[in-house]
Amino acid sequence: MAKKPPNIYVPLSVNLPYDPSILAISSDAFRLYICGLTHCKERRRDGLILATELPAISPGVARPPKAASELVRERLWVEIEGGWLVRSWGKWNMSQEEIEEHEEDRRYGGKYGNHTRYGHEGRVGECPICNKEKK
C-alpha cells in the first residue's frame, strides 16, 4: 500500500520536463512556474497568482517579470487583470470548492463511523448524526 503524502503537494507529470512549452522557457521561468504552482496550492487559489505576489513567490529568480512574460508567451500562465491564472490548474488539482466538499465528506464520515461504533440508539439531543438527513 502506498504511503499517504505527508503534506499538501502539487502533482506533477513525469513528462513535465519534456513538455514543449517547458523546453521553450528559461530556468528562471521554470523555477517561477514551480513556485507559482506551490503558491497556488498553499493559498488554495484555484491557480490564481496576483501580480502583487510575484516578488514573494519568485525566490532565486533574477527577473520575475521577464520570467512571468515567458510563462504567458508559452501559455503556461494566462494573463488576467491583476495577475495570472495557471492554465492547466484544473487538470491536475481539485478546485477549492471540491476540496471543501471532500473535507466535509471526510469529517462526516469520521463522525458517522465513531457514532456507529460508539454511539447511542435513537435520537439523542443535538447529535449531528441522528439529526442529519440521509445524504
Side-chain angles (χ1 to χ4, degrees), residues 3-42:
K3 285 186 173 183
K4 180 181 176 187
N7 226 329
I8 298 173
Y9 63 94
V10 177
L12 294 174
S13 169
V14 296
N15 296 316
L16 181 69
Y18 314 108
D19 182 296
S21 295
I22 294 295
L23 291 170
I25 61 176
S26 67
S27 59
D28 269 356
F30 181 72
R31 183 181 188 104
L32 180 58
Y33 181 69
I34 298 299
C35 288
L37 293 176
T38 60
H39 176 74
C40 290
K41 188 66 152 211
E42 191 265 333

Side-chain angles (χ1 to χ4, degrees), residues 24-73:
I25 61 176
S26 67
S27 59
D28 269 356
F30 181 72
R31 183 181 188 104
L32 180 58
Y33 181 69
I34 298 299
C35 288
L37 293 176
T38 60
H39 176 74
C40 290
K41 188 66 152 211
E42 191 265 333
R43 298 283 181 189
R44 294 184 168 198
R45 289 267 187 77
D46 291 343
L48 172 66
I49 299 167
L50 300 175
T52 56
E53 299 169 326
L54 190 60
I57 68 163
S58 52
V61 176
R63 294 188 291 177
K66 181 178 185 284
S69 294
E70 289 182 53
L71 296 173
V72 170
R73 182 192 72 220

